[in-house]
Structure formats: C-alpha cells, structure tokens
Amino acid sequence: MTTETTAQITTAPATAPAVSMVTAINSALSDAMRDDERVVVFGEDVGHLGGVFRATDGLLAEFGEHRCFDTPICEAGILGAAIGMSFYGARPVVEMQFDAFAYPAFEQMVSHLAKMRNRTRGTLPAPVVVRIPYGGGIGAVEHHSDSSEAYAAHTPGLHVLTPATVADAYGMLRQAIDGADPALFFEPKRLYWDTAHVDLTAEVEPIGRAVVRRTGTDATLITYGPALPVALAAADAAAADGYDLCVVDLRSLVPFDEDTVCEAVMRTGRAVMVHEASGFGGFGAEVAARVTERCFAYLEAPVRRVTGLDIPYPPPQLERFHLPTVARVLDAVAATFKEA
C-alpha cells in the first residue's frame, strides 16, 4: 500500500517545474506518440483547435494529420472507427469532448469495445483509450457536467480510470495507452488548471492500485477524481476539531483495489465515501457494499456516502448545492461517531 500525505501532493523538489493537469495530459499524449508510431489521436476539434481544453494543443503541428485529426460530430462513429483501427495494429486515443457527449457512443463502448477480447478469445484486445472530460464545478450548462463513471464501471472488460493529481494525469494516461486493454480515462475538468511541482517522468502507482493520500486513525474518507480536493480539505478542517482522518484516492475504479481500501477502513473503523456523481446506483454504493462485506467486524458504524443529489445536473448558479462540500463531509464523519 502506498502512503502519500497532503504535503507530498502539493510540494516537490525545487527543481521540478509547476505543471497543470491539462499540460500533463498533453505531455502524456505527445510523449506516447513520439515513443510509439502506432498511437493516433482523434476526436472533435482535437486537431486545429487543440481541443476545447487545449489538451491536444500542438499535436497536429508536430505529428501531422495522419496521426492527429479532427472528426465529424459523431461520437458513435469516432469510437467505432477507433475499435476498427485497433484491429489493424493502431493504438487510438479518442476524445469525447464532454462527459455527456459520450452517450451516443455507449453502444459501441459496452457491446464492442468491452467485449472484443472475450469475443475473439484474445485475438482482438482492442487497446483503445477513450478520454472523457467529466464532472462539474466549472459553471457549465446541461450535458457538460455529468459524472458517468458508474455506467462504465458496471461493464466488464473496460478499465475505468480517473486521476486526481497532476502526476497521475500523466502517469496513468501513459499506462493506459501502453496497456493491452481498452480504458476509459475520466479527466476531472475542474482540476485541469490545478498545478503542482512534479517530475512527470517519475513513476506512479500502476493501474489497479489506490493510494492513501493522508493517513489517519479516526475515520477513512474514500474518494476519487474531482472529489479528492474536497476530501483532503475536509480532513484538514476535521483536524481542528480533533478528528484524524485518513484519505484514500481510488485512482482506478476498475480494476478496484479492495485491499488498500479495506486495510484503511479496518484501521479506523469508520468509512465515508465521497464522489460528486449522484448517490443512487453510484460507484460509491459498490464501494460501501464491498467494505461492509469485508470489514463488517471492524466497523463501528455504517458506511456513509456524500454524493451529488439524485437529480439531473443543475444550472450553473445552483451547482454548489449539488456538489459535495467540506461541510457535508464533516457532517457525515460526525454521524459515524453518533451511530457508534
């Protein structure tokens, strides 16, 4: 199990440059394309514009239209083409411009991308990476702030990944591109412009491993993606009230690192799951079930969840009421002590 404190996330050697998450993603793509001529990048506006969030900026100029190109507005066609290209040796990395824009490609995703390795007895593994900017917190309108990771996680055959740090954005994307399995790479939009002093060449934990971002003894906050900063801020705030909270960053939803999560919960006896997707049927429900099944004898209280509300994503002026907050996390932690 890997342990990383809050201080280790926000600081690094003075020689390390300040890098934003979106720059780390751009670097991962360009480095992968330099290292492997089979890697191709395509999607809506990823070429001449460099992507809505500029994650693909400069790739067209460096690698040419045969390796980075724009597509029509047809997500099913984008993913279908990527699957076909992978059969002939390419390693496509496609961008779904916004989270909810990926829904038209859902059938390609679950019926073909996820099942090709099994359907062909390993002959066609379909090593496609689907980049999906996701989540709220940027004041966007409907269809631009969804959290659809639970749909993907429910489908066997897909790796489902979501970085919450600059280092993971680079390292995990490189791992996904180099891997043999199809991967959905959920990028938290509101963390795109967060910066950290990191060495992008440093190794990060492999796909399938969670990381303890902060150790603690009183309760465990389990989280991922855009909710990690909220969980860390809640842990800092709780310290002022005498609570010592552990924070676990899942990083990889599928494969799921049950061992690291349960070891942390067994040490503290209390667990709170935090994510911004709606609660009902959300990924946190699966985590809560697994923790309850494996850690029941260690739990001092039921596993609590702090999630988005069970509503369609609200207008920009109201999203602050929908998203998890430090106050809501602290209330959930306090509730686990009242129930003991």
Side-chain angles (χ1 to χ4, degrees):
M1 180 169 60
T2 298
T3 300
E4 185 173 345
T5 66
T6 308
Q8 288 173 312
I9 294 174
T10 56
T11 62
T15 55
V19 182
S20 69
M21 179 176 284
V22 76
T23 298
I25 291 168
N26 180 267
S27 297
L29 293 170
S30 58
D31 288 349
M33 295 175 79
R34 292 188 196 102
D35 291 347
D36 189 344
E37 64 181 10
R38 298 173 299 171
V39 178
V40 292
V41 174
F42 56 96
E44 297 163 14
D45 296 322
V46 302
H48 294 281
L49 181 64
V52 170
F53 300 101
R54 302 301 185 265
T56 57
D57 191 33
L59 299 185
L60 172 61
E62 180 174 354
F63 299 102
E65 291 187 344
H66 65 294
R67 295 191 62 198
C68 178
F69 53 90
D70 295 323
T71 66
I73 303 175
C74 180
E75 287 76 14
I78 293 169
L79 187 50
I83 295 169
M85 291 171 69
S86 74
F87 296 165
Y88 290 89
R91 286 186 168 268
V93 182
V94 300
E95 177 181 299
M96 299 291 154
Q97 198 169 72
F98 283 91
D99 30 57
F101 291 10
Y103 296 147
F106 190 73
E107 197 274 337
Q108 290 282 5
M109 189 184 304
V110 302
S111 296
H112 303 294
L113 184 64
K115 294 179 173 60
M116 275 300 169
R117 176 185 285 278
N118 183 69
R119 183 181 298 157
T120 63
R121 297 185 179 182
T123 303
L124 300 174
V128 177
V129 175
V130 185
R131 293 181 43 248
I132 305 176
Y134 86 117
I138 65 168
V141 295
E142 187 182 24
H143 297 122
H144 294 72
S145 298
D146 278 18
S147 297
S148 50
E149 64 272 19
Y151 299 137
H154 183 68
T155 305
L158 299 174
H159 284 176
V160 183
L161 315 172
T162 176
T165 68
V166 173
D168 272 351
Y170 179 89
M172 292 175 67
L173 184 53
R174 289 300 307 269
Q175 292 170 6
I177 295 171
D178 292 342
D181 293 298
L184 271 59
F185 198 78
F186 285 89
E187 301 168 3
K189 296 192 293 289
R190 61 169 153 161
L191 302 186
Y192 268 154
W193 299 277
D194 283 6
T195 60
H197 292 276
V198 296
D199 176 7
L200 294 180
T201 63
E203 291 187 7
V204 299
E205 288 297 306
I207 289 171
R209 289 289 297 277
V211 169
V212 177
R213 300 292 183 189
R214 178 186 178 121
T215 58
T217 58
D218 293 331
T220 300
L221 304 181
I222 308 164
T223 189
Y224 57 86
L228 176 63
V230 177
L232 288 171
D236 288 341
D241 295 329
Y243 293 111
D244 186 18
L245 302 186
C246 171
V247 179
V248 179
D249 177 8
L250 295 181
R251 305 172 68 248
S252 171
L253 307 188
V254 181
F256 176 64
D257 186 358
E258 186 173 309
D259 288 343
T260 296
V261 172
C262 289
E263 286 171 13
V265 173
M266 289 175 184
R267 284 197 301 272
T268 64
R270 294 174 174 83
V272 176
M273 182 72 213
V274 185
H275 63 64
E276 71 173 56
S278 297
F280 189 86
F283 189 76
E286 176 64 25
V287 175
R290 286 175 178 260
V291 167
T292 300
E293 289 171 354
R294 182 165 169 181
C295 307
F296 185 78
Y298 296 84
L299 289 173
E300 301 290 342
V303 179
R304 286 273 179 165
R305 287 179 288 161
V306 179
T307 71
L309 305 178
D310 293 327
I311 59 172
Y313 200 88
Q317 298 90 337
L318 300 176
E319 68 176 352
R320 68 185 185 278
F321 300 110
H322 172 72
L323 299 173
T325 62
V326 169
R328 289 176 59 195
V329 174
L330 294 179
D331 285 346
V333 171
T336 66
F337 283 88
K338 293 177 182 177
E339 292 168 343

